[in-house]
Amino acid sequence: MTVKTATPAAASAAMTRPPSAPRKKKSWTGLWFVLPFVAFYALFLIWPTFLGLYYSFTDKSLTGRPASWVGFDNWAEAFGDERAWNALVNTAEFTLYSTPPLVVLAIVFALLVNRARRLGWFLRMAFFAPFVVPVSVVTMIWMWIYQPEGGLLNHYLQMLGLQDASAPQVWYQGENGIAMWSVVITTVWWTVGFNFLLYLAALQTIDPSVYEASSIDGASWWRQLWHITLPLLNRTTAMVIVLQLIASLRIFDQMYIMTGGGPNRESEVAIHYIYIAGFEGYRIGYASALSYVLFILILIISIFQFRLFSRKES
């Protein structure tokens, strides 16, 4: 019987081999921290989403009668509803009017604050402060400004000789698109601060050495703006435009409080009509179908925007 002995090299390798790492035990402690959020998220978002989709195929009503399955009848009615299409057109009109100034003014304010030294803190507070004000307070302030008799806007227009005191302008209840523009101005004043902060944060991440190198090469401030600053803000601009389009397509609060959809439904937007169909007409099933039509429209626009900006960036 022969006994095998380990060579010196094998013995040395065995001595230097690191011990096997102990297996880590799975810990479920973190699950208890996220479980309350997941429960509320599922209860108040996921479940209502699927429940609303189910209701869109029924004649669910607030009157309390049992709901019955109607298939695609609600969807067919939504696509053939002239009032629904008018509300969508008004929503698109508001989005077209409000998105460009909310992007351009945000960039201008961010550039101004980024260059300001002594008054930078005050400008940050001044531009962002309206965004934290509740929508009810914002609309009350601007409804007072827009008052035909004694309103601040008409008062200064009359002082400048731009308006006849005997025929004051009617703003948020005016016809020919004036009501829509009144809400647009209110919305821009109220929400531009959020986009301003996004641009300001993006500006502060740009390396100052890029501007120093361009200055040495003789680039003026305008050339730096068009060839350095704005191109480096492309990602932020894409995000701001997408977020703003989604927010504008979901307009309801300030439009409902200020104009109530008037005059003659000139400012009745999509969510306002959904509210009317569901809570004034008691047709929850039809309102659910309208909601999903708007949801699909917003989803398509968002996907198109993301693809468009991703192509430009590549």
Side-chain angles (χ1 to χ4, degrees):
M1 180 176 179
T2 59
V3 179
K4 294 182 179 180
T5 58
T7 61
S12 176
M15 293 177 62
T16 57
R17 186 180 300 157
S20 59
R23 293 183 178 181
K24 293 183 179 181
K25 295 182 178 180
K26 291 184 178 180
S27 175
W28 299 97
T29 306
L31 179 63
W32 297 104
F33 288 96
V34 300
L35 189 59
F37 170 78
V38 173
F40 278 98
Y41 185 81
L43 180 62
F44 293 105
L45 187 64
I46 297 178
W47 169 245
T49 300
F50 287 100
L51 186 63
L53 182 61
Y54 167 73
Y55 283 160
S56 68
F57 297 100
T58 68
D59 60 350
K60 176 70 175 178
S61 175
L62 284 180
T63 57
R65 59 177 174 79
S68 58
W69 186 265
V70 296
F72 286 94
D73 290 351
N74 289 328
W75 292 75
E77 183 181 354
F79 282 105
D81 191 344
E82 183 179 352
R83 186 173 177 182
W85 282 108
N86 180 71
L88 282 176
V89 170
N90 291 336
T91 305
E93 185 179 352
F94 174 83
T95 303
L96 181 64
Y97 292 162
S98 62
T99 300
L102 280 169
V103 175
V104 174
L105 288 178
I107 296 177
V108 173
F109 292 164
L111 291 172
L112 176 63
V113 173
N114 193 48
R115 293 180 63 88
R117 300 302 178 186
R118 297 181 179 180
L119 295 178
W121 64 271
F122 174 76
L123 294 176
R124 288 188 185 93
M125 180 186 66
F127 293 149
F128 184 72
F131 184 73
V132 301
V133 180
V135 61
S136 57
V137 178
V138 171
T139 52
M140 290 298 106
I141 292 174
W142 280 91
M143 286 172 69
W144 174 75
I145 294 175
Y146 287 139
Q147 284 295 324
E149 300 290 343
L152 196 63
L153 181 57
N154 282 348
H155 171 72
Y156 283 108
L157 289 177
Q158 292 169 9
M159 284 183 58
L160 295 173
L162 300 177
Q163 186 182 116
D164 188 1
S166 60
Q169 176 64 53
V170 179
W171 294 101
Y172 62 92
Q173 291 291 346
E175 297 182 353
N176 300 324
I178 296 178
M180 180 70 71
W181 276 107
S182 300
V183 181
V184 167
I185 294 172
T186 303
T187 304
V188 170
W189 178 85
W190 178 36
T191 60
V192 71
F194 179 74
N195 297 339
F196 152 74
L197 276 189
L198 294 178
Y199 276 115
L200 183 62
L203 282 173
Q204 293 177 348
T205 61
I206 299 177
D207 190 355
S209 62
V210 179
Y211 295 106
E212 294 175 2
S214 63
S215 298
I216 294 174
D217 292 336
S220 62
W221 183 85
W222 281 104
R223 292 184 65 86
Q224 290 178 347
L225 174 65
W226 288 106
H227 297 286
I228 297 177
T229 305
L230 294 182
L232 291 177
L233 292 177
N234 279 341
R235 289 187 176 183
T236 305
T237 301
M239 180 181 65
V240 167
I241 291 177
V242 171
L243 292 176
Q244 193 55 57
L245 284 174
I246 295 174
S248 297
L249 290 171
R250 295 187 297 108
I251 174 70
F252 171 69
D253 299 341
Q254 56 269 42
M255 195 76 76
Y256 176 74
I257 297 174
M258 293 184 68
T259 69
N264 300 323
R265 299 176 183 170
E266 286 187 9
S267 61
E268 184 178 85
V269 290
I271 295 184
H272 187 190
Y273 181 53
I274 293 171
Y275 167 83
I276 292 174
F279 294 98
E280 294 183 9
Y282 305 110
R283 301 183 62 192
I284 296 299
Y286 182 57
S288 299
L290 289 171
S291 300
Y292 271 90
V293 170
L294 180 62
F295 168 74
I296 293 172
L297 177 64
I298 294 176
L299 184 63
I300 292 173
I301 292 176
S302 301
I303 294 174
F304 173 76
Q305 288 291 331
F306 276 119
R307 288 185 177 272
L308 178 63
F309 285 113
S310 62
R311 288 180 181 178
K312 286 184 177 181
E313 184 176 349
S314 61

